[in-house]
Amino acid sequence: MTGPAYSSTPVGWREWVGLPGIGMPWLKAKIDTGARTSALHAADLEEFERDGAPWVRFTAHPWQDTDDDPVEVECPVHDRRHVRSSSGHAQQRYVVLLDLSLAGRTVPAEVTLTNRHRMGFRMLVGREALRQGFVVDPGRSYAGVRAPKEFRRRNHGH
């Protein structure tokens, strides 16, 4: 973990985040204190076995509203959980452990994999990740580190 263990790093209701361990340096995320676990848009989910342990293979899409520049990912399965969405629909999801870069700090996060294609943000950051020293100001947007201009332009209009 980068940064002090008990900081009060301010974040807004939406932020630029990174998932450096899977090759996604920047994507827009909604900060959601109503969600326990973070969630990432994942397509083409496929479980397989590696060295006797369960792994999952999926495609992540960094840009909102498009499937351009897909990132192929393989991760160990940390858990499987029944998760109830904001619409009340329950589904079983894979949970993977990923490093989450948020507001200049990197923290470990449990992330569920789900289809967020119709959602406004490809990632949702839940309260378990936020509990690691982040304070949410719902009146602010992008209070943390801004993505470089080429990433902001790439996501503009999406």
Side-chain angles (χ1 to χ4, degrees):
M1 179 167 72
T2 304
Y6 298 100
S7 74
S8 294
T9 304
V11 296
W13 72 272
R14 60 182 171 179
E15 290 291 340
W16 283 98
V17 301
L19 300 171
I22 63 168
M24 295 180 71
W26 298 103
L27 65 155
K28 286 183 182 178
K30 180 179 180 185
I31 308 303
D32 189 350
T33 59
R36 178 176 158 234
T37 309
S38 300
L40 176 66
H41 174 63
D44 308 318
L45 284 161
E46 177 187 350
E47 186 174 347
F48 65 100
E49 195 172 291
R50 180 174 287 163
D51 299 324
W55 280 59
V56 65
R57 179 180 296 121
F58 62 95
T59 305
H61 301 278
W63 314 120
Q64 292 176 208
D65 300 327
T66 181
D67 290 338
D68 292 350
D69 305 324
V71 178
E72 302 298 324
V73 181
E74 293 183 350
C75 293
V77 173
H78 175 67
D79 197 4
R80 289 174 191 83
R81 293 194 191 136
H82 279 87
V83 176
R84 188 167 305 280
S85 70
S86 58
S87 65
H89 177 70
Q91 68 176 171
Q92 185 167 4
R93 295 184 189 171
Y94 292 105
V95 180
V96 296
L97 295 177
L98 297 175
D99 285 337
L100 171 71
S101 295
L102 172 61
R105 296 181 49 224
T106 302
V107 297
E110 289 185 339
V111 178
T112 66
L113 304 175
T114 186
N115 185 338
R116 295 185 54 79
H117 185 73
R118 297 188 186 276
M119 305 303 240
F121 293 87
R122 293 294 169 104
M123 180 155 196
L124 182 144
V125 178
R127 64 181 178 270
E128 289 295 326
L130 296 169
R131 220 174 243 146
Q132 298 177 76
F134 297 95
V135 176
V136 181
D137 181 345
R140 295 180 70 186
S141 288
Y142 308 117
V145 178
R146 277 178 57 160
K149 188 178 274 187
E150 63 268 21
F151 289 96
R152 294 193 319 265
R153 275 194 186 138
R154 182 68 181 95
N155 223 14
H156 184 71
H158 294 292

